[in-house]
Short mmCIF file of all heavy atoms in Angstrom, two decimals:
data_model
loop_
_atom_site.label_atom_id
_atom_site.label_comp_id
_atom_site.label_asym_id
_atom_site.label_seq_id
_atom_site.Cartn_x
_atom_site.Cartn_y
_atom_site.Cartn_z
N SER A 38 29.77 42.43 -10.36
CA SER A 38 31.23 42.30 -10.37
C SER A 38 31.87 43.02 -9.19
O SER A 38 33.08 43.11 -9.09
CB SER A 38 31.79 42.86 -11.68
OG SER A 38 31.64 44.26 -11.72
N GLU A 64 40.10 36.87 -17.59
CA GLU A 64 40.44 38.22 -18.05
C GLU A 64 41.56 38.18 -19.08
O GLU A 64 41.49 38.86 -20.11
CB GLU A 64 40.84 39.10 -16.86
CG GLU A 64 39.64 39.52 -16.01
CD GLU A 64 40.05 40.14 -14.69
OE1 GLU A 64 41.23 40.00 -14.29
OE2 GLU A 64 39.20 40.77 -14.03
N ILE A 69 36.41 37.84 -20.18
CA ILE A 69 35.93 39.06 -19.50
C ILE A 69 36.67 40.24 -20.13
O ILE A 69 37.90 40.33 -20.04
CB ILE A 69 36.21 39.00 -17.98
CG1 ILE A 69 35.40 37.87 -17.34
CG2 ILE A 69 35.88 40.33 -17.33
CD1 ILE A 69 35.71 37.65 -15.87
N LYS A 70 35.92 41.11 -20.79
CA LYS A 70 36.56 42.21 -21.50
C LYS A 70 36.79 43.41 -20.59
O LYS A 70 37.78 44.11 -20.70
CB LYS A 70 35.66 42.66 -22.68
CG LYS A 70 35.71 41.74 -23.87
CD LYS A 70 35.19 42.42 -25.12
CE LYS A 70 33.69 42.66 -25.05
NZ LYS A 70 33.14 43.11 -26.35
N ARG A 71 35.82 43.68 -19.72
CA ARG A 71 35.92 44.85 -18.86
C ARG A 71 34.92 44.78 -17.73
O ARG A 71 34.03 43.93 -17.73
CB ARG A 71 35.70 46.13 -19.67
CG ARG A 71 34.37 46.09 -20.37
CD ARG A 71 34.29 46.86 -21.68
NE ARG A 71 35.07 48.05 -21.76
CZ ARG A 71 34.66 49.16 -22.39
NH1 ARG A 71 33.45 49.20 -22.91
NH2 ARG A 71 35.42 50.19 -22.50
N ARG A 72 35.09 45.68 -16.77
CA ARG A 72 34.11 45.86 -15.70
C ARG A 72 33.56 47.25 -15.88
O ARG A 72 34.32 48.21 -16.01
CB ARG A 72 34.77 45.77 -14.32
CG ARG A 72 35.83 44.69 -14.21
CD ARG A 72 35.21 43.37 -13.90
NE ARG A 72 36.21 42.35 -13.58
CZ ARG A 72 36.26 41.71 -12.44
NH1 ARG A 72 35.39 41.99 -11.49
NH2 ARG A 72 37.17 40.78 -12.23
N VAL A 73 32.25 47.37 -15.86
CA VAL A 73 31.65 48.69 -16.05
C VAL A 73 30.56 48.95 -15.03
O VAL A 73 29.99 48.02 -14.45
CB VAL A 73 31.05 48.84 -17.47
CG1 VAL A 73 32.10 48.63 -18.54
CG2 VAL A 73 29.87 47.90 -17.66
N ALA A 74 30.29 50.24 -14.80
CA ALA A 74 29.15 50.64 -13.99
C ALA A 74 27.93 50.73 -14.89
O ALA A 74 27.99 51.26 -15.99
CB ALA A 74 29.43 51.99 -13.33
N VAL A 75 26.82 50.17 -14.43
CA VAL A 75 25.56 50.26 -15.16
C VAL A 75 24.70 51.35 -14.50
O VAL A 75 24.45 51.28 -13.30
CB VAL A 75 24.80 48.92 -15.15
CG1 VAL A 75 23.45 49.07 -15.85
CG2 VAL A 75 25.64 47.84 -15.81
N VAL A 76 24.30 52.31 -15.28
CA VAL A 76 23.54 53.43 -14.71
C VAL A 76 22.05 53.30 -15.03
O VAL A 76 21.65 52.56 -15.93
CB VAL A 76 24.05 54.78 -15.25
CG1 VAL A 76 25.53 54.95 -14.95
CG2 VAL A 76 23.78 54.90 -16.74
N ARG B 28 29.08 64.00 -13.60
CA ARG B 28 28.97 63.48 -14.97
C ARG B 28 30.27 62.82 -15.40
O ARG B 28 30.27 61.74 -16.00
CB ARG B 28 28.64 64.63 -15.93
CG ARG B 28 27.20 65.07 -15.88
CD ARG B 28 26.83 65.85 -17.13
NE ARG B 28 27.31 67.22 -17.09
CZ ARG B 28 26.70 68.21 -16.44
NH1 ARG B 28 25.60 67.98 -15.78
NH2 ARG B 28 27.19 69.42 -16.46
N LYS B 29 31.37 63.48 -15.08
CA LYS B 29 32.66 62.94 -15.49
C LYS B 29 32.95 61.62 -14.77
O LYS B 29 33.49 60.69 -15.36
CB LYS B 29 33.76 63.98 -15.20
CG LYS B 29 34.96 63.80 -16.06
CD LYS B 29 35.75 65.10 -16.26
CE LYS B 29 36.88 64.88 -17.24
NZ LYS B 29 37.94 65.91 -17.11
N ILE B 30 32.59 61.56 -13.51
CA ILE B 30 32.76 60.31 -12.76
C ILE B 30 31.98 59.19 -13.45
O ILE B 30 32.47 58.08 -13.64
CB ILE B 30 32.29 60.47 -11.30
CG1 ILE B 30 33.27 61.37 -10.54
CG2 ILE B 30 32.17 59.12 -10.61
CD1 ILE B 30 32.82 61.71 -9.13
N LEU B 31 30.74 59.49 -13.85
CA LEU B 31 29.92 58.49 -14.52
C LEU B 31 30.54 58.09 -15.86
O LEU B 31 30.54 56.91 -16.21
CB LEU B 31 28.51 59.03 -14.73
CG LEU B 31 27.66 59.17 -13.46
CD1 LEU B 31 26.36 59.87 -13.77
CD2 LEU B 31 27.41 57.81 -12.83
N ASP B 32 31.07 59.05 -16.59
CA ASP B 32 31.73 58.73 -17.85
C ASP B 32 32.87 57.75 -17.63
O ASP B 32 33.01 56.76 -18.35
CB ASP B 32 32.26 60.02 -18.50
CG ASP B 32 31.15 60.90 -19.06
OD1 ASP B 32 30.06 60.37 -19.34
OD2 ASP B 32 31.37 62.12 -19.21
N VAL B 33 33.68 58.03 -16.63
CA VAL B 33 34.83 57.17 -16.35
C VAL B 33 34.37 55.79 -15.92
O VAL B 33 34.82 54.77 -16.46
CB VAL B 33 35.73 57.80 -15.26
CG1 VAL B 33 36.81 56.82 -14.83
CG2 VAL B 33 36.34 59.11 -15.75
N LEU B 34 33.45 55.73 -14.97
CA LEU B 34 33.01 54.45 -14.41
C LEU B 34 32.21 53.61 -15.40
O LEU B 34 32.19 52.38 -15.29
CB LEU B 34 32.20 54.69 -13.14
CG LEU B 34 32.91 54.45 -11.80
CD1 LEU B 34 34.39 54.70 -11.87
CD2 LEU B 34 32.26 55.27 -10.71
N GLN B 35 31.55 54.27 -16.35
CA GLN B 35 30.85 53.50 -17.37
C GLN B 35 31.82 52.87 -18.36
O GLN B 35 31.48 51.93 -19.06
CB GLN B 35 29.84 54.38 -18.12
CG GLN B 35 28.59 54.67 -17.32
CD GLN B 35 27.51 55.33 -18.19
OE1 GLN B 35 26.53 54.71 -18.54
NE2 GLN B 35 27.72 56.58 -18.55
N GLU B 36 33.02 53.43 -18.45
CA GLU B 36 34.04 52.84 -19.32
C GLU B 36 34.82 51.75 -18.59
O GLU B 36 35.14 50.71 -19.15
CB GLU B 36 35.01 53.92 -19.81
CG GLU B 36 34.46 54.80 -20.92
CD GLU B 36 34.04 53.99 -22.14
OE1 GLU B 36 34.78 53.09 -22.55
OE2 GLU B 36 32.94 54.28 -22.66
N ASP B 37 35.16 52.02 -17.33
CA ASP B 37 35.98 51.09 -16.56
C ASP B 37 35.72 51.28 -15.07
O ASP B 37 36.19 52.24 -14.47
CB ASP B 37 37.45 51.31 -16.88
CG ASP B 37 38.34 50.26 -16.24
OD1 ASP B 37 37.84 49.45 -15.43
OD2 ASP B 37 39.54 50.22 -16.56
N SER B 38 34.99 50.34 -14.50
CA SER B 38 34.65 50.46 -13.08
C SER B 38 35.66 49.74 -12.20
O SER B 38 35.48 49.65 -10.99
CB SER B 38 33.25 49.91 -12.82
OG SER B 38 33.23 48.51 -12.98
N SER B 39 36.72 49.21 -12.81
CA SER B 39 37.72 48.52 -12.00
C SER B 39 38.84 49.47 -11.59
O SER B 39 39.75 49.08 -10.87
CB SER B 39 38.31 47.35 -12.79
OG SER B 39 39.15 47.81 -13.82
N LEU B 40 38.78 50.69 -12.05
CA LEU B 40 39.83 51.66 -11.69
C LEU B 40 39.80 51.96 -10.20
O LEU B 40 38.73 52.12 -9.62
CB LEU B 40 39.61 52.97 -12.47
CG LEU B 40 39.80 52.92 -13.98
CD1 LEU B 40 39.36 54.24 -14.60
CD2 LEU B 40 41.24 52.61 -14.34
N PRO B 41 40.97 52.05 -9.58
CA PRO B 41 41.02 52.48 -8.19
C PRO B 41 40.52 53.91 -8.06
O PRO B 41 40.66 54.72 -8.98
CB PRO B 41 42.50 52.39 -7.84
CG PRO B 41 43.23 52.29 -9.13
CD PRO B 41 42.28 51.70 -10.12
N ILE B 42 39.93 54.19 -6.91
CA ILE B 42 39.33 55.50 -6.71
C ILE B 42 40.32 56.62 -6.91
O ILE B 42 39.99 57.68 -7.44
CB ILE B 42 38.69 55.58 -5.31
CG1 ILE B 42 37.48 54.65 -5.27
CG2 ILE B 42 38.28 56.99 -4.97
CD1 ILE B 42 36.68 54.73 -4.02
N ALA B 43 41.57 56.38 -6.52
CA ALA B 43 42.59 57.41 -6.69
C ALA B 43 42.72 57.81 -8.16
O ALA B 43 42.89 59.00 -8.47
CB ALA B 43 43.93 56.90 -6.15
N THR B 44 42.64 56.84 -9.04
CA THR B 44 42.74 57.12 -10.47
C THR B 44 41.53 57.88 -10.98
O THR B 44 41.65 58.84 -11.75
CB THR B 44 42.89 55.81 -11.26
OG1 THR B 44 43.95 55.04 -10.70
CG2 THR B 44 43.17 56.08 -12.72
N VAL B 45 40.35 57.42 -10.56
CA VAL B 45 39.13 58.14 -10.95
C VAL B 45 39.22 59.59 -10.47
O VAL B 45 38.94 60.53 -11.23
CB VAL B 45 37.88 57.46 -10.34
CG1 VAL B 45 36.62 58.24 -10.71
CG2 VAL B 45 37.78 56.02 -10.79
N ALA B 46 39.63 59.74 -9.23
CA ALA B 46 39.74 61.09 -8.63
C ALA B 46 40.67 61.97 -9.46
O ALA B 46 40.33 63.11 -9.81
CB ALA B 46 40.25 60.98 -7.20
N ARG B 48 41.44 61.68 -12.58
CA ARG B 48 40.89 61.99 -13.90
C ARG B 48 39.81 63.06 -13.87
O ARG B 48 39.59 63.77 -14.85
CB ARG B 48 40.29 60.73 -14.54
CG ARG B 48 41.36 59.75 -14.90
CD ARG B 48 40.90 58.80 -15.99
NE ARG B 48 41.86 57.71 -16.11
CZ ARG B 48 41.60 56.57 -16.73
NH1 ARG B 48 40.42 56.37 -17.27
NH2 ARG B 48 42.51 55.63 -16.81
N VAL B 49 39.10 63.15 -12.75
CA VAL B 49 38.03 64.14 -12.68
C VAL B 49 38.50 65.40 -11.95
O VAL B 49 37.73 66.34 -11.78
CB VAL B 49 36.76 63.58 -12.00
CG1 VAL B 49 36.29 62.34 -12.72
CG2 VAL B 49 37.01 63.30 -10.52
N CYS B 56 35.95 62.27 -4.00
CA CYS B 56 35.56 61.47 -5.15
C CYS B 56 34.82 60.23 -4.68
O CYS B 56 33.77 59.87 -5.23
CB CYS B 56 36.79 61.09 -5.97
SG CYS B 56 36.39 60.17 -7.46
N ILE B 60 30.90 59.08 -5.50
CA ILE B 60 30.53 57.78 -6.06
C ILE B 60 29.50 57.09 -5.17
O ILE B 60 28.50 56.57 -5.65
CB ILE B 60 31.79 56.88 -6.23
CG1 ILE B 60 32.71 57.47 -7.30
CG2 ILE B 60 31.38 55.46 -6.59
CD1 ILE B 60 34.05 56.77 -7.41
N GLU B 64 25.64 55.98 -6.05
CA GLU B 64 25.11 54.64 -5.83
C GLU B 64 23.84 54.68 -4.96
O GLU B 64 22.86 54.02 -5.25
CB GLU B 64 26.17 53.75 -5.17
CG GLU B 64 27.27 53.32 -6.13
CD GLU B 64 28.46 52.68 -5.44
OE1 GLU B 64 28.58 52.81 -4.21
OE2 GLU B 64 29.27 52.05 -6.13
N ILE B 69 23.97 54.97 -10.23
CA ILE B 69 24.74 53.76 -10.53
C ILE B 69 23.96 52.59 -9.95
O ILE B 69 23.77 52.51 -8.74
CB ILE B 69 26.15 53.81 -9.92
CG1 ILE B 69 26.96 54.93 -10.58
CG2 ILE B 69 26.86 52.47 -10.10
CD1 ILE B 69 28.33 55.16 -9.96
N ARG B 71 24.52 49.12 -10.68
CA ARG B 71 25.33 47.95 -10.40
C ARG B 71 26.66 48.01 -11.11
O ARG B 71 26.87 48.87 -11.98
CB ARG B 71 24.58 46.68 -10.81
CG ARG B 71 24.22 46.70 -12.27
CD ARG B 71 22.94 45.98 -12.66
NE ARG B 71 22.67 44.79 -11.93
CZ ARG B 71 22.16 43.67 -12.47
NH1 ARG B 71 21.94 43.63 -13.77
NH2 ARG B 71 21.87 42.64 -11.74
N ARG B 72 27.55 47.12 -10.75
CA ARG B 72 28.81 46.92 -11.47
C ARG B 72 28.76 45.53 -12.05
O ARG B 72 28.45 44.57 -11.33
CB ARG B 72 30.00 47.01 -10.53
CG ARG B 72 29.88 48.09 -9.46
CD ARG B 72 30.30 49.42 -10.01
NE ARG B 72 30.37 50.44 -8.96
CZ ARG B 72 31.50 51.07 -8.65
NH1 ARG B 72 32.61 50.78 -9.28
NH2 ARG B 72 31.49 52.00 -7.72
N VAL B 73 29.06 45.41 -13.33
CA VAL B 73 29.00 44.10 -13.96
C VAL B 73 30.25 43.84 -14.80
O VAL B 73 30.93 44.77 -15.22
CB VAL B 73 27.76 43.96 -14.87
CG1 VAL B 73 26.48 44.17 -14.08
CG2 VAL B 73 27.84 44.91 -16.05
N ALA B 74 30.51 42.56 -15.02
CA ALA B 74 31.56 42.16 -15.95
C ALA B 74 30.96 42.08 -17.34
O ALA B 74 29.86 41.55 -17.52
CB ALA B 74 32.14 40.81 -15.54
N VAL B 75 31.66 42.64 -18.32
CA VAL B 75 31.23 42.55 -19.71
C VAL B 75 32.07 41.48 -20.39
O VAL B 75 33.29 41.55 -20.37
CB VAL B 75 31.40 43.90 -20.44
CG1 VAL B 75 31.03 43.77 -21.90
CG2 VAL B 75 30.57 44.97 -19.76
N THR B 166 27.74 49.96 -27.05
CA THR B 166 28.27 50.45 -25.79
C THR B 166 27.22 50.32 -24.70
O THR B 166 26.02 50.42 -24.95
CB THR B 166 28.72 51.91 -25.90
OG1 THR B 166 29.20 52.34 -24.62
CG2 THR B 166 27.59 52.82 -26.33
N THR B 167 27.70 50.02 -23.50
CA THR B 167 26.80 50.01 -22.35
C THR B 167 26.74 51.40 -21.70
O THR B 167 25.99 51.60 -20.75
CB THR B 167 27.30 49.00 -21.30
OG1 THR B 167 28.65 49.30 -20.97
CG2 THR B 167 27.20 47.58 -21.83
N ALA B 168 27.54 52.32 -22.20
CA ALA B 168 27.63 53.65 -21.58
C ALA B 168 26.55 54.60 -22.08
O ALA B 168 26.43 54.84 -23.28
CB ALA B 168 29.01 54.25 -21.86
N MET B 169 25.75 55.09 -21.17
CA MET B 169 24.72 56.09 -21.50
C MET B 169 25.35 57.48 -21.54
O MET B 169 26.25 57.77 -20.75
CB MET B 169 23.63 56.08 -20.44
CG MET B 169 22.89 54.77 -20.32
SD MET B 169 21.90 54.46 -21.79
CE MET B 169 22.42 52.79 -22.18
P DG C 11 39.06 51.29 -4.15
OP1 DG C 11 38.13 50.75 -5.16
OP2 DG C 11 39.64 52.64 -4.30
"O5'" DG C 11 38.35 51.19 -2.73
"C5'" DG C 11 37.95 49.91 -2.26
"C4'" DG C 11 37.46 50.02 -0.83
"O4'" DG C 11 38.56 50.40 0.03
"C3'" DG C 11 36.36 51.06 -0.61
"O3'" DG C 11 35.43 50.48 0.30
"C2'" DG C 11 37.11 52.25 0.01
"C1'" DG C 11 38.20 51.55 0.80
N9 DG C 11 39.43 52.30 0.98
C8 DG C 11 40.22 52.83 -0.01
N7 DG C 11 41.29 53.42 0.46
C5 DG C 11 41.20 53.25 1.83
C6 DG C 11 42.06 53.68 2.87
O6 DG C 11 43.13 54.30 2.77
N1 DG C 11 41.59 53.32 4.13
C2 DG C 11 40.42 52.63 4.35
N2 DG C 11 40.12 52.37 5.62
N3 DG C 11 39.60 52.21 3.40
C4 DG C 11 40.05 52.57 2.16
#
Side-chain angles (χ1 to χ4, degrees):
Chain A
S38 69
E64 286 168 345
I69 295 175
K70 283 198 290 190
R71 57 210 326 217
R72 320 276 188 120
V73 301
V75 177
V76 302
Chain B
R28 283 199 282 279
K29 204 154 185 200
I30 289 174
L31 290 173
D32 288 337
V33 172
L34 258 30
Q35 284 191 107
E36 283 302 316
D37 187 352
S38 70
S39 72
L40 293 172
I42 291 186
T44 308
V45 178
R48 291 203 192 163
V49 304
C56 183
I60 293 172
E64 285 169 345
I69 295 174
R71 58 211 324 219
R72 321 277 188 118
V73 301
V75 177
T166 179
T167 55
M169 298 292 129

